[in-house]
Amino acid sequence: AFTDASGYVFAKMPEELQRKLAHDYFSPEGNAYTLGRTSVDSCDFSAGIYCSDNTPDDFELKDFDPARSEKYVLPLVKMAQEEAGRPIGMMLTPWSPPEWMKTNHSRLHGGELKPEYYSLWAEYICRFIEAYQQAGVDVKMLSSQNEPKAVQTWDSCLMNAAQEREFIQHHLYPALKRHHLEDVCLLIWDHNKERVFDRVSETLNNPEVAEMVGGAAVHWYSGDHFEALQMTHERFPKLQLVFSEGCVEFSRFGGGGGAGIWARFGAGGGQCRSGVIGFRGGGYEFRHGCGFRGGFLYRFGLGPLGLLAGGPRLGLRFSGGGGFRRSGGAFRRGRFGFGLRFLQLVFRMYGHGFSF
């Protein structure tokens, strides 16, 4: 995840160190990551709370300006792409609409998008995509709402399946078409995987909506539940299942190193191991994005080992019949970190012949 907070830390680093970091993560000689995720406006990994239009009832979006969102994220993306020698495929995700569009009048603590703002919010999102595209960001995917069943103390917004279906069918997808953004893959759910089958089944029970949606995004926070992914794939075989977010929080196993570090590695590695075993017959792509978020291998709980608030998330794809193929060169010999070496071992042990 290319977050505002990590971009802020990145901006404070000496340029030489910035360049080395971007080279090691994104260059062909380094880890060669090719995918990323960032938020539409602020999220829980931002240095502040902000949106791109603070003017209530600005139905023409005359005051729309994503400069605050771009301030720290875009320089980080730009240097990553320079070192990669190619665009980084980006997923955009909104955590919350502006407070004046919501029932609780706040970006925080849940609330819902007011129906009278559905069309305006869809237009707002399209403007945001276009701004990032004009800045040189290759926007590949868009999810409709981050964690739509969670009321959080940070940026959050509730959206049930009926609301998601209504928003996509009559507002978001038509707006994407008007802006010639149909090639951006539209993802639903973007929340914990144990509920993905029920949510996808409910949202896509309209055949027209099913044609508009390209995938479902899932988070890995609440246990294994790989049977839910398997059921979703079997019922919707053409639907991409995208791992967009997940971590083993550093606090769960206590601070410091030693056994706690290995426990965190084991928990994160177990998720990847189970993914290989559970879906070796699947015909879909299962992606781990690349990321700068919360510490070296933050997503597997190794915060204090890192140089910057942000570490790698794996870039990999699983194909049918248990096969593995590189995701744009995301796995190749080179500067894998200690954690990636560990996960290589996991895949050698459980991945049915995969080798790196």
Side-chain angles (χ1 to χ4, degrees):
F2 289 84
T3 68
D4 180 72
S6 57
Y8 174 83
V9 175
F10 187 80
K12 303 299 181 182
M13 297 169 64
E15 185 175 354
E16 180 181 356
L17 196 54
Q18 290 179 344
R19 183 66 63 180
K20 175 174 173 50
L21 188 74
H23 179 84
D24 288 351
Y25 277 81
F26 298 101
S27 73
E29 296 79 23
N31 288 341
Y33 296 143
T34 60
L35 300 174
R37 182 183 185 226
T38 193
S39 60
V40 175
D41 296 334
S42 63
C43 69
D44 49 322
F45 279 81
S46 295
I49 301 171
Y50 53 84
C51 69
S52 299
D53 194 335
N54 284 306
T55 304
D57 293 333
D58 182 10
F59 285 98
E60 296 182 6
L61 296 177
K62 292 181 179 180
D63 294 331
F64 180 84
D65 183 0
R68 176 61 188 86
S69 291
E70 298 173 344
K71 182 177 180 180
Y72 296 117
V73 171
L74 288 187
L76 179 55
V77 175
K78 180 180 178 181
M79 189 172 291
Q81 294 186 151
E82 289 174 357
E83 291 299 324
R86 54 166 291 171
I88 301 295
M90 195 66 65
M91 173 182 173
L92 295 183
T93 299
W95 262 245
S96 172
E99 59 185 32
W100 51 271
M101 294 188 187
K102 296 179 64 181
T103 57
N104 67 341
H105 310 291
S106 172
R107 290 187 60 83
L108 317 181
H109 307 294
E112 297 180 356
L113 175 64
K114 293 180 180 179
E116 60 265 34
Y117 292 115
Y118 275 25
S119 290
L120 183 59
W121 177 228
E123 177 69 20
Y124 183 114
I125 291 172
C126 290
R127 297 273 189 98
F128 197 96
I129 294 172
E130 290 175 332
Y132 269 58
Q133 287 180 331
Q134 291 167 10
V137 178
D138 184 18
V139 180
K140 292 289 190 184
M141 295 178 284
L142 168 72
S143 62
S144 53
Q145 171 62 46
N146 182 70
E147 298 185 348
K149 287 186 70 69
V151 175
Q152 307 284 21
T153 56
W154 52 82
D155 311 66
S156 50
C157 183
L158 297 172
M159 181 178 284
N160 63 37
Q163 292 168 328
E164 185 175 43
R165 187 170 57 246
E166 164 71 19
F167 179 57
I168 289 171
Q169 182 177 11
H170 299 295
H171 306 278
L172 182 56
Y173 189 77
L176 290 170
K177 288 189 68 175
R178 286 196 307 272
H179 287 261
H180 307 290
L181 296 171
E182 306 100 310
D183 290 341
V184 175
C185 181
L186 186 56
L187 308 176
I188 59 174
W189 188 223
D190 213 349
H191 206 164
N192 292 336
K193 61 182 178 293
E194 76 274 12
R195 298 177 181 176
V196 64
F197 177 77
D198 293 338
R199 180 56 173 250
V200 169
S201 298
E202 188 174 356
T203 300
L204 300 188
N205 67 7
N206 182 314
E208 185 177 348
V209 176
E211 289 297 315
M212 299 173 178
V213 172
V218 294
H219 297 183
W220 279 3
Y221 290 121
S222 53
D224 291 342
H225 305 292
F226 290 105
E227 70 284 352
L229 295 179
Q230 185 68 49
M231 291 166 61
T232 304
H233 167 64
E234 289 174 355
R235 182 166 177 178
F236 304 96
K238 296 182 180 179
L239 198 72
Q240 291 195 64
L241 295 177
V242 179
F243 170 33
S244 60
E245 185 179 320
C247 68
V248 181
E249 294 87 344
F250 188 72
S251 60
R252 282 183 56 191
F253 297 96
I261 287 181
W262 286 108
R264 290 187 288 275
F265 261 140
Q271 291 277 337
C272 296
R273 173 189 62 80
S274 299
V276 173
I277 294 173
F279 305 109
R280 60 181 183 273
Y284 57 88
E285 295 180 351
F286 194 60
R287 295 194 181 100
H288 291 238
C290 58
F292 285 82
R293 184 170 178 177
F296 178 75
L297 275 177
Y298 174 85
R299 291 308 194 184
F300 297 104
L302 282 182
L305 297 184
L307 180 65
L308 170 67
R313 280 189 272 165
L314 309 179
L316 51 99
R317 299 178 179 181
F318 299 104
S319 60
F324 172 84
R325 64 181 186 275
R326 298 180 194 178
S327 176
F331 262 86
R332 60 180 66 186
R333 296 187 184 276
R335 297 191 180 189
F336 292 102
F338 173 79
L340 299 189
R341 294 292 186 190
F342 171 80
L343 290 173
Q344 285 178 310
L345 176 61
V346 171
F347 284 116
R348 287 195 183 106
M349 293 171 62
Y350 298 103
H352 300 275
F354 298 166
S355 62
F356 310 116

